[in-house]
Amino acid sequence: MYQKVHPSDANCYGVMVLPDLTPEGDLPVGVHAADWQELRSRFGTATLRREWLFVRLQSLIHLASSTGMLRRAFIWGSFVTAKPSPRDLDLLLVMDEAFEVEQAPKATQALFDSVQAKLLFEADVFWARISIGEETLQLWLETYQVSRTFRKRGIVELELS
């Protein structure tokens, strides 16, 4: 079952703190909340590749946010592991029920086309409307917690506010 994990919610300064990685280099199983600062410090600075991907991630979240309809964002895969050179970004954008790609600003539409998103951002972008419901979202998040080698690992929900 999906459960949003807040590792002691925050440190004494109110900053979100992701848990330590497992010996395999993954986040522990669960959905772990992180703000931009925590995500960058843990996964966006160790190598030039990670820095580059982090800037890409910021760009695509900024684009999705510019629609005014981004409600939640989840990140999984090699970017949120100890791997020095992650291949790409993997994310799920949960959009408002009223979101329509055709009505979104032209500059944002490539983000919601999986082929274009892969080419432009080196990202596998999945998206859904919030109306998919909590049960379906839970099933998706459980699936995203399984690695290519079928090992369970954690994912990150980016705190958008």
Side-chain angles (χ1 to χ4, degrees):
M1 174 118 176
Y2 157 75
Q3 181 178 359
K4 190 172 184 179
V5 178
H6 287 273
S8 65
D9 277 339
N11 66 15
C12 62
Y13 301 104
V15 176
M16 301 303 295
V17 178
L18 290 168
D20 291 337
L21 299 179
T22 65
E24 294 80 22
D26 299 323
L27 285 168
V29 173
V31 179
H32 306 279
D35 60 18
W36 280 111
Q37 179 181 348
E38 176 70 3
L39 189 65
R40 182 178 183 278
S41 69
R42 288 292 297 275
F43 300 113
T45 61
T47 65
L48 289 175
R49 176 70 177 167
R50 285 186 164 282
E51 289 176 16
W52 187 84
L53 284 171
F54 185 79
V55 170
R56 289 289 191 189
L57 177 62
Q58 286 179 304
S59 295
L60 66 87
I61 295 293
H62 175 74
L63 270 179
S65 294
S66 74
T67 67
M69 300 216 178
L70 178 63
R71 299 296 172 252
R72 299 175 80 178
F74 299 90
I75 306 153
W76 68 92
S78 60
F79 185 73
V80 293
T81 69
K83 188 175 181 179
S85 187
R87 189 175 53 127
D88 62 3
L89 297 166
D90 299 287
L91 46 133
L92 170 65
L93 304 174
V94 180
M95 306 300 289
D96 190 83
E97 177 56 30
F99 178 73
E100 294 291 337
V101 174
E102 302 78 21
Q103 304 301 317
K106 193 116 178 117
T108 68
Q109 290 181 5
L111 179 59
F112 302 99
D113 177 302
S114 61
V115 173
Q116 289 187 42
K118 185 68 168 176
L119 292 171
L120 294 172
F121 298 103
E122 289 198 36
D124 289 313
V125 179
F126 300 87
W127 73 275
R129 290 181 189 88
I130 203 154
S131 62
I132 64 167
E134 201 60 32
E135 186 175 316
T136 301
L137 179 61
Q138 289 177 20
L139 289 172
W140 286 16
L141 296 176
E142 287 174 17
T143 300
Y144 298 148
Q145 289 183 68
V146 179
S147 74
R148 290 178 183 203
T149 59
F150 302 104
R151 188 174 64 240
K152 293 273 291 184
R153 60 185 181 184
I155 63 178
V156 173
E157 179 173 4
L158 181 62
E159 295 290 326
L160 298 173
S161 50

